[in-house]
Amino acid sequence: MNQLSIFDLIETEEAPQFPDADFAEIVDYLNYKLGINFEREQWATEYEREAYSCKVNKQLRFTIARGRFDPDINGGAEYISCGWQTSKAGGGSPIEDTQAAENYFASTIRAYE
């Protein structure tokens, strides 16, 4: 039997739309939906970049940042840079929207439970 939380009973807001939404809002949304805690990287603050990371469990760490393709690729469009790493493996992907970022991280969490 699973215990319900208040968030199971109320309707959640829609995902903030990338790239229009504030990136911190997107990160907060992912924190809420995935039950993780991205925190802004210190170096990112110093260089005025939007980059965050979090430790998910003993072995898994996530990173997320706002990125932009080279002008010759997708016309220089912005993307959500999503990454994961363990002591033995890692991966990353440019993601186009918030829902796809949520799915990317959720599937990685399931793979490393």
Side-chain angles (χ1 to χ4, degrees):
M1 178 198 291
N2 291 333
Q3 183 174 346
L4 294 175
S5 76
I6 188 69
F7 297 107
D8 295 319
L9 301 175
I10 61 175
E11 288 191 34
T12 58
E13 62 186 63
E14 287 187 27
Q17 299 302 305
F18 182 80
D20 300 328
D22 181 59
F23 198 70
E25 184 180 332
I26 292 169
V27 171
D28 287 342
Y29 175 82
L30 292 172
N31 282 341
Y32 165 71
K33 293 297 280 187
L34 299 169
I36 58 178
N37 188 27
F38 279 113
E39 294 182 357
R40 188 143 189 198
E41 290 282 0
Q42 183 60 38
W43 66 265
T45 304
E46 294 171 9
Y47 291 98
E48 298 180 13
R49 295 274 322 268
E50 294 180 289
Y52 300 78
S53 68
C54 71
K55 188 170 183 178
V56 179
N57 56 36
K58 288 182 182 180
Q59 61 179 338
L60 184 60
R61 182 169 194 76
F62 285 159
T63 58
I64 187 169
R66 182 182 285 254
R68 183 178 293 278
F69 288 108
D70 186 78
D72 294 336
I73 302 171
N74 285 352
E78 288 187 295
Y79 61 88
I80 302 172
S81 175
C82 297
W84 63 274
Q85 67 183 45
T86 67
S87 62
K88 297 180 182 180
S93 182
I95 304 288
E96 295 181 6
D97 63 63
T98 307
Q99 187 61 51
E102 180 184 345
N103 294 341
Y104 177 88
F105 288 126
S107 66
T108 306
I109 289 170
R110 284 192 300 275
Y112 285 92
E113 288 183 314

